[in-house]
Amino acid sequence: MLKKPPQLEHVERTSQNSAERRTPSPDVASEGALKKSNNKSNKFRKDLPPTEWPIHVEISKSEGPEIEALNDKLNQLIERITESADLSAGEEILLVSNTLSKLYLQIVPRDISYTYTMNLEQHLWKQCFHTSIEALRAASNSVDDASRVFRSSLIKLIHQGLDFYARLFNKYEMVFEFLIEDYLYWQTGLPADDFLGCVLVDSGAHEAADPVIKVALLSLQRMAVSVGDLQRYNAIVTGIKNYSNAWL
């Protein structure tokens, strides 16, 4: 069951019932093309491992080398942070993470079956955010003056991650032509206090008939966990004791 990520609520409130969200504009023509591509059944890849699918070959040749180079750069920056408390590495890691996440923003919705089968949602989370966040969090726990600088970079990276997932969730809605809120049990994010209200929620499960949308929703569920982790990190770093934004 997918629960609305809290940091997306302001986006959904301002655009709720808007015809613009239900009728794609000319600017999202490429997203429509992606949906058609995702809808096509590929009989040639039924018995092939995903690493031999055409989409895998395409990504390996196009974005693959840049992703590998950016991951190597992130590893170098993390090493500079952990071994020598290099303050410049803390700032630079924000730029590299942002560049890498932009690549994933283009790759992840391209073929949803491939994304889900290859667990790209987890690769995205680990490579773009989690590993770097942990390095910055460890560096910010020291007692020297550098810890304040690393803490500032850490907060920026967490917010950068939340903004990224908001954009990616919105792109899913455009590419696969559905609204996340249509598949939520509780629009406010939490059930009512009464038991009957918890049981009788619109008299049935919110399930998609389109198989592509079904996989897209499963993919969103994976990423919603990462959003919850970012909210928990934010609560820990800022000292806020209210973890309600991290509920999934």
Side-chain angles (χ1 to χ4, degrees):
M1 180 178 66
L2 181 67
K3 177 185 178 296
K4 182 187 299 182
Q7 77 285 356
L8 298 179
E9 290 180 353
H10 70 284
V11 177
E12 294 180 354
R13 281 199 299 268
T14 56
S15 56
Q16 191 173 15
N17 299 323
S18 169
E20 292 180 357
R21 294 190 64 196
R22 296 186 179 272
T23 305
S25 67
D27 294 334
V28 296
S30 59
E31 278 78 7
L34 279 175
K35 173 69 186 304
K36 291 179 181 179
S37 174
N38 275 288
N39 268 316
K40 291 181 180 178
S41 59
N42 192 334
K43 62 181 180 180
F44 299 107
R45 72 184 193 184
K46 279 185 177 179
D47 299 322
L48 294 175
T51 52
E52 295 183 21
W53 292 2
I55 183 65
H56 182 82
V57 176
E58 174 190 328
I59 293 172
S60 297
K61 290 181 178 179
S62 54
E63 294 92 352
E66 187 174 0
I67 289 176
E68 184 177 357
L70 289 169
N71 274 314
D72 289 342
K73 182 64 175 178
L74 282 173
N75 289 333
Q76 294 170 8
L77 292 171
I78 290 172
E79 184 176 346
R80 285 163 53 188
I81 291 172
T82 55
E83 294 188 0
S84 58
D86 189 334
L87 296 179
S88 63
E91 289 295 326
E92 193 174 349
I93 211 168
L94 297 173
L95 300 176
V96 179
S97 173
N98 184 54
T99 302
L100 183 58
S101 65
K102 285 180 179 178
L103 286 175
Y104 272 104
L105 185 65
Q106 301 303 318
I107 292 172
V108 170
R110 192 176 300 171
D111 186 320
I112 196 61
S113 295
Y114 173 78
T115 291
Y116 192 74
T117 302
M118 292 293 289
N119 198 16
L120 292 189
E121 304 92 349
Q122 186 69 4
H123 290 294
L124 152 66
W125 164 243
K126 291 286 188 180
Q127 294 175 10
C128 295
F129 303 108
H130 180 258
T131 305
S132 298
I133 285 174
E134 283 297 322
L136 289 171
R137 191 159 77 103
S140 65
N141 285 334
S142 62
V143 295
D144 54 28
D145 293 338
S147 64
R148 290 194 296 271
V149 179
F150 285 125
R151 183 175 179 275
S152 175
S153 296
L154 173 59
I155 293 173
K156 290 177 183 177
L157 182 57
I158 292 170
H159 291 170
Q160 187 171 293
L162 291 171
D163 290 341
F164 165 79
Y165 278 106
R167 294 196 306 272
L168 183 54
F169 280 30
N170 184 59
K171 187 161 187 174
Y172 264 52
E173 289 187 317
M174 291 190 295
V175 169
F176 303 110
E177 299 175 2
F178 72 94
L179 293 177
I180 294 175
E181 62 192 34
D182 290 342
Y183 297 93
L184 299 175
Y185 284 89
W186 302 289
Q187 295 300 314
T188 60
L190 291 172
D193 291 333
D194 62 295
F195 179 75
L196 183 61
C198 295
V199 176
L200 302 177
V201 181
D202 290 345
S203 69
H206 297 194
E207 296 182 354
D210 189 321
V212 173
I213 295 180
K214 283 184 178 180
V215 179
L217 289 170
L218 291 172
S219 177
L220 281 171
Q221 286 180 337
R222 286 178 174 176
M223 292 188 290
V225 175
S226 299
V227 173
D229 287 340
L230 285 169
Q231 291 287 4
R232 280 186 282 272
Y233 276 127
N234 190 55
I236 293 171
V237 174
T238 58
I240 299 173
K241 300 302 181 182
N242 181 5
Y243 286 79
S244 60
N245 284 344
W247 289 340
L248 294 173

